[in-house]
Amino acid sequence: MKWYILLTRPKHDRLVTETVRRKGFEALCIYHQVVKIHRKRYTRLQQVPLFPRYVFVRCYLDEFTHIALFTVRGVVCLLEDAEGQLIEVSEEDMRFLNMVQDLAVFSRNVKVELIPRSKISDHGEGSILVLNSLPWIIRITEIPSLIV
């Protein structure tokens, strides 16, 4: 089985992930925590997708699977490269993305960002992680703790 990337409609990440799982596929939407400030009154941590509009799906891609995935509400397409070939994410990259998710969710002083490969020269500070099978670069930076 291989990992593929589903492009979803805006803000349909969770819905697509749950629906695809109910259909019997392995699906993963990677989240990280961000601080949200509401009307300058209070702050709270909220989990948001690290890859907005993208859901990773593990399956054997035949015509029946293709139809099953495209009948899910909120799915736009399977992600393709410039030559029209479906992007397959390697098992190694998926294991690494799971580690990044654990780091982003459980560590409050780490910021995880996504950078398109076209902007590789603008990466700035922090550790840069390049995954060969993905069209993005992940930047991990440490945020200084506010508690002394």
Side-chain angles (χ1 to χ4, degrees), residues 13 31 34 44 57 63 67 101-102 114 121-122:
D13 315 272
Y31 297 100
V34 295
R44 71 176 189 171
V57 178
E63 63 184 75
I67 292 169
Q101 179 180 14
D102 292 343
L114 230 55
S121 61
D122 304 345

Short mmCIF file of all heavy atoms in Angstrom, two decimals, residues 13 31 34 44 57 63 67 101-102 114 121-122:
data_model
loop_
_atom_site.label_atom_id
_atom_site.label_comp_id
_atom_site.label_asym_id
_atom_site.label_seq_id
_atom_site.Cartn_x
_atom_site.Cartn_y
_atom_site.Cartn_z
N ASP A 13 -10.77 19.48 6.22
CA ASP A 13 -9.74 18.50 6.57
C ASP A 13 -10.27 17.42 7.51
O ASP A 13 -10.13 16.22 7.24
CB ASP A 13 -8.54 19.18 7.25
CG ASP A 13 -8.11 20.43 6.54
OD1 ASP A 13 -7.28 20.33 5.62
OD2 ASP A 13 -8.61 21.51 6.92
N TYR A 31 -1.80 17.72 12.58
CA TYR A 31 -2.16 18.95 13.29
C TYR A 31 -0.99 19.49 14.10
O TYR A 31 -0.09 18.75 14.47
CB TYR A 31 -3.33 18.69 14.25
CG TYR A 31 -4.58 18.27 13.54
CD1 TYR A 31 -4.95 16.93 13.48
CD2 TYR A 31 -5.40 19.20 12.93
CE1 TYR A 31 -6.09 16.53 12.82
CE2 TYR A 31 -6.55 18.81 12.27
CZ TYR A 31 -6.89 17.48 12.23
OH TYR A 31 -8.02 17.08 11.57
N VAL A 34 -1.55 26.12 17.82
CA VAL A 34 -1.27 27.55 17.69
C VAL A 34 -2.04 28.28 18.78
O VAL A 34 -3.07 27.81 19.27
CB VAL A 34 -1.66 28.10 16.30
CG1 VAL A 34 -0.83 27.49 15.20
CG2 VAL A 34 -3.13 27.91 16.02
N ARG A 44 -6.03 30.99 23.78
CA ARG A 44 -6.18 29.55 23.97
C ARG A 44 -5.39 28.83 22.89
O ARG A 44 -5.12 29.37 21.82
CB ARG A 44 -7.64 29.13 23.93
CG ARG A 44 -8.24 29.21 22.56
CD ARG A 44 -9.65 28.68 22.56
NE ARG A 44 -10.06 28.62 21.16
CZ ARG A 44 -11.15 28.06 20.76
NH1 ARG A 44 -11.96 27.52 21.63
NH2 ARG A 44 -11.47 28.03 19.50
N VAL A 57 -3.65 9.67 2.63
CA VAL A 57 -4.44 8.44 2.58
C VAL A 57 -3.55 7.29 2.15
O VAL A 57 -2.79 7.42 1.18
CB VAL A 57 -5.62 8.58 1.58
CG1 VAL A 57 -6.41 7.29 1.50
CG2 VAL A 57 -6.50 9.72 1.95
N GLU A 63 -9.42 1.53 -9.60
CA GLU A 63 -10.56 2.37 -9.99
C GLU A 63 -11.66 2.41 -8.93
O GLU A 63 -12.31 3.42 -8.74
CB GLU A 63 -11.13 1.92 -11.34
CG GLU A 63 -11.71 0.51 -11.35
CD GLU A 63 -12.16 0.10 -12.72
OE1 GLU A 63 -11.31 -0.20 -13.56
OE2 GLU A 63 -13.39 0.12 -12.94
N ILE A 67 -12.90 5.83 -7.05
CA ILE A 67 -14.30 6.25 -6.97
C ILE A 67 -14.72 6.45 -5.52
O ILE A 67 -15.40 7.43 -5.18
CB ILE A 67 -15.21 5.23 -7.68
CG1 ILE A 67 -14.95 5.27 -9.19
CG2 ILE A 67 -16.68 5.48 -7.38
CD1 ILE A 67 -15.59 4.14 -9.97
N GLN A 101 4.46 15.77 13.92
CA GLN A 101 3.17 16.04 14.55
C GLN A 101 3.28 15.90 16.07
O GLN A 101 2.79 16.75 16.81
CB GLN A 101 2.09 15.11 14.03
CG GLN A 101 0.75 15.35 14.68
CD GLN A 101 -0.33 14.43 14.17
OE1 GLN A 101 -0.08 13.44 13.52
NE2 GLN A 101 -1.56 14.77 14.48
N ASP A 102 3.93 14.85 16.54
CA ASP A 102 4.11 14.68 17.99
C ASP A 102 4.87 15.85 18.58
O ASP A 102 4.52 16.37 19.64
CB ASP A 102 4.84 13.37 18.29
CG ASP A 102 4.00 12.15 17.96
OD1 ASP A 102 2.77 12.31 17.80
OD2 ASP A 102 4.57 11.06 17.85
N LEU A 114 5.32 25.53 7.21
CA LEU A 114 5.45 24.92 5.89
C LEU A 114 5.93 25.99 4.91
O LEU A 114 5.41 27.09 4.90
CB LEU A 114 4.08 24.45 5.44
CG LEU A 114 3.96 23.05 4.94
CD1 LEU A 114 4.49 22.09 5.95
CD2 LEU A 114 2.55 22.74 4.60
N SER A 121 14.95 29.86 -0.76
CA SER A 121 15.97 30.83 -0.36
C SER A 121 15.49 31.73 0.78
O SER A 121 16.29 32.35 1.45
CB SER A 121 16.37 31.69 -1.56
OG SER A 121 15.24 32.40 -2.02
N ASP A 122 14.17 31.79 1.03
CA ASP A 122 13.62 32.66 2.07
C ASP A 122 13.37 31.92 3.38
O ASP A 122 12.46 32.28 4.11
CB ASP A 122 12.29 33.27 1.60
CG ASP A 122 12.43 34.02 0.30
OD1 ASP A 122 13.57 34.32 -0.09
OD2 ASP A 122 11.40 34.29 -0.32
#
